[in-house]
Amino acid sequence: MKIRPAEKSDADLVISLYQQFDNYLRGLTPNVSLEERLFDAERYRADGFGDNPAFWGLVAEDGDEAVGCLLYYFGYDSERASRTMHLLDLYVAQEHRGHGVGLACMERVKAICIKSNVEEIAWSVYKPNRAAHEFYKRLGAKVDDDADYMYLEVEKFNV
């Protein structure tokens, strides 16, 4: 298995993995409607590469087959006065789970954090995704019960 930086030319395979990810999440709660993901190959190339990338990524390969991907971006925590990494998504194809792919991706993330002087990694996990919760807990992650994940669509901003 090999973990490598995601490249612009990986657009189709990354989006294919994201489609599998969406199907997996929908399968966890078949009676709940999840929003349609607008992230496609064109947005992957436009937003992830160039002078001001919005994210960076990793691709996990088993031989010639892409079996997982992880996207992340950097931020800052003013309370702790420290650099942070935010994981957007980590997805491992179902048939490759339990074989160390996710762990290898997270080991690479740790190395990137050390090189970039990042002190903390943060992310959100879909509540019904118990397997992801257990995976991250085994790594030492904690759930922050004191904070809520919030978002605001800019065009709906009431100012």
Side-chain angles (χ1 to χ4, degrees):
M1 181 179 40
K2 175 175 143 183
I3 308 297
R4 63 169 176 78
E7 300 172 358
K8 194 173 190 176
S9 60
D10 291 325
D12 291 333
L13 72 88
V14 168
I15 296 307
S16 173
L17 288 166
Y18 264 88
Q19 290 166 343
Q20 292 175 41
F21 186 33
D22 287 346
N23 291 335
Y24 169 72
L25 293 177
R26 284 186 180 93
L28 294 175
T29 52
N31 298 328
V32 175
S33 176
L34 295 175
E35 287 187 34
E36 184 74 23
R37 188 183 301 269
L38 301 178
F39 189 55
D40 60 16
E42 183 179 338
R43 292 304 299 257
Y44 170 86
R45 287 187 292 269
D47 294 342
F49 301 89
D51 293 337
N52 187 23
F55 61 84
W56 293 265
L58 301 172
V59 172
E61 295 177 325
D62 185 7
D64 292 337
E65 182 183 9
V67 299
C69 64
L70 183 150
L71 299 183
Y72 63 91
Y73 65 95
F74 294 101
Y76 191 79
D77 183 337
S78 61
E79 187 174 314
R80 295 183 51 166
S82 65
R83 295 173 185 267
T84 59
M85 175 188 280
H86 295 265
L87 298 184
L88 291 167
D89 296 297
L90 166 58
Y91 178 73
V92 175
Q94 191 116 11
E95 61 275 12
H96 292 275
R97 292 187 191 148
H99 300 286
V101 177
L103 181 60
C105 287
M106 292 301 287
E107 286 173 344
R108 178 63 66 88
V109 159
K110 180 180 178 181
I112 293 167
C113 287
I114 290 168
K115 183 178 177 184
S116 303
N117 296 316
V118 167
E119 295 180 24
E120 185 174 75
I121 306 167
W123 62 94
S124 61
V125 179
Y126 187 51
K127 287 186 187 284
N129 193 350
R130 301 312 310 159
H133 281 266
E134 294 307 315
F135 169 75
Y136 293 125
K137 285 180 183 176
R138 284 193 304 274
L139 295 178
K142 297 178 177 127
V143 175
D144 183 351
D145 291 326
D146 295 328
D148 288 321
Y149 176 79
M150 297 181 76
Y151 68 96
L152 175 62
E153 294 179 37
V154 173
E155 57 188 43
K156 295 180 181 175
F157 200 122
N158 295 320
V159 181

